[in-house]
Amino acid sequence: MKKFYVASSFKNIDKVRYVSNELISKGYIQTYDWTQNERASTVEELKEIGQQERNAVLEADFIIVLLPAGKGSHIEFGIALGQGKRIYLYSPNDEINKFETTSTFYHLSEIEKCIGPMDELITAVTK
């Protein structure tokens, strides 16, 4: 079965858990659940989490990035892009396509943009 990783910010933790649980219920395998972590309080903890997250992205067949996302998520996005992995980029609104808030990398052919209700993201990933 396909392996996945979900990248986002701590403020989207409930959405990350929702997407992960939906995919797991459909037989997909999550490579790492960072939502189980507490916020790091030392550089050593940051290093350990960074290694786990990097390894999870490398192990995944595809990643999902839920916007708004922080700098770590964008680094994970870059790792996946560099590895030629499928990337699903999700936003509840059209910020992905607004010139003021978009990134050049959001528009590459390897990126599947999903805008709107989260269940449409689940449908796109599992089709």
Side-chain angles (χ1 to χ4, degrees):
M1 188 44 69
K2 294 239 179 196
K3 296 179 183 178
F4 72 94
Y5 178 79
V6 182
S8 195
S9 66
F10 264 103
K11 62 184 164 190
N12 287 332
I13 203 163
D14 291 334
K15 293 175 183 171
V16 171
R17 287 177 176 160
Y18 175 78
V19 169
S20 299
N21 289 335
E22 286 294 308
L23 293 177
I24 290 167
S25 75
K26 295 178 185 322
Y28 289 76
I29 299 166
Q30 187 174 22
T31 56
Y32 180 66
D33 183 2
W34 60 266
T35 70
Q36 301 302 310
N37 297 338
E38 297 294 322
R39 283 194 185 268
S41 58
T42 67
V43 171
E44 203 50 45
E45 289 174 350
L46 284 174
K47 179 180 175 183
E48 176 62 28
I49 291 168
Q51 289 172 334
Q52 290 175 333
E53 290 178 347
R54 180 196 60 206
N55 292 343
V57 171
L58 293 173
E59 184 184 343
D61 296 309
F62 64 91
I63 74 162
I64 298 168
V65 179
L66 303 180
L67 296 178
K71 62 186 176 216
S73 300
H74 283 86
I75 292 169
E76 293 160 347
F77 178 102
I79 293 168
L81 188 62
Q83 292 290 310
K85 296 185 184 287
R86 185 82 176 143
I87 300 169
Y88 294 89
L89 182 63
Y90 170 79
S91 177
N93 55 48
D94 200 36
E95 70 183 298
I96 293 170
N97 293 315
K98 290 190 177 149
F99 198 76
E100 311 78 44
T101 54
T102 196
S103 165
T104 54
F105 297 101
Y106 291 177
H107 304 282
L108 297 176
S109 61
E110 300 93 315
I111 311 306
E112 182 164 339
K113 295 185 268 185
C114 302
I115 300 167
M118 192 158 288
D119 288 332
E120 289 181 17
L121 168 66
I122 303 298
T123 300
V125 170
T126 59
K127 67 178 177 182

